[in-house]
Amino acid sequence: MKKVIASHIGSNPYAGQRMEDGTMEVVFYPQGTLAEKIRAGGVGLGGILVDVGVGTIMAEGRETVTVAGTTYLVEPALTAEVAIVHAKRADPFGNLVYDKSGRNYNPLVAMAGQLTIAEADEIVPLGALDPESIVTPGIFVDMVIPGKGVNWEWAWEKKAATGSPGGPPGS
């Protein structure tokens, strides 16, 4: 991976190290801006207008537009050749149900991908999903695969287990 566009890379030690080494470009956006860029891509818009960064070095060399007397930066929409999302449940048509915060970005990412792959904790037969619970309709999903779970620890969990500095507060 050469480039990551994110609002946060969290405790991922590999991404942080690659960013520090200069072997991976990391572009950060505020969460709301990132979500809107993805949503715009998913619905076919060319971009969005944001006021964050206007009048700062972030605006240098960037396209601006003034609407009703307010100046905005133009942020291009964000799409992907391949989008990978995670769902709690899916049916074979790709209708997806998410769990809790899984509803934050997954529906937007599913819409913005040219090819969308959904990893689902559970794949159920057609008709088994409550239509009122479906967040992403299958028209946005090209492939459903069964999830296998994860087997990893957060970087801070490892530090806390070894007693080294940098663990969570109280460790």
Side-chain angles (χ1 to χ4, degrees):
M1 185 173 339
K2 294 180 184 179
K3 182 177 183 178
V4 170
I5 300 171
S7 64
H8 180 57
I9 57 173
S11 300
N12 185 319
Y14 306 110
Q17 187 62 53
R18 291 195 59 205
M19 180 178 73
E20 291 295 320
D21 293 345
T23 59
M24 181 173 68
E25 179 185 359
V26 179
V27 180
F28 290 109
Y29 286 101
Q31 281 192 337
T33 301
L34 181 60
E36 279 300 294
K37 285 171 66 77
I38 297 168
R39 185 194 63 78
V43 298
L45 298 177
I48 62 169
L49 304 179
V50 297
D51 60 358
V52 175
V54 172
T56 71
I57 61 170
M58 295 301 296
E60 291 177 7
R62 303 271 308 275
E63 183 180 357
T64 61
V65 65
T66 301
V67 178
T70 302
T71 301
Y72 299 93
L73 296 176
V74 177
E75 285 288 348
L78 188 58
T79 59
E81 291 176 14
V82 178
I84 301 172
V85 299
H86 177 262
K88 181 177 176 84
R89 299 175 78 204
D91 68 19
F93 280 176
N95 295 304
L96 306 178
V97 175
Y98 304 102
D99 187 35
K100 299 175 184 76
S101 63
R103 291 182 70 147
N104 293 352
Y105 279 91
N106 282 305
L108 305 175
V109 170
M111 291 172 38
Q114 292 175 26
L115 172 77
T116 297
I117 302 167
E119 176 191 28
D121 292 338
E122 179 183 9
I123 301 173
V124 300
L126 288 177
L129 295 177
D130 173 8
E132 294 297 321
S133 298
I134 295 170
V135 178
T136 298
I139 191 70
F140 295 110
V141 178
D142 299 289
M143 184 184 307
V144 177
I145 61 170
K148 296 182 180 179
V150 294
N151 184 20
W152 53 272
E153 293 178 317
W154 289 101
W156 61 264
E157 289 176 315
K158 292 177 187 176
K159 290 177 184 174
T162 63
S164 65
S171 63

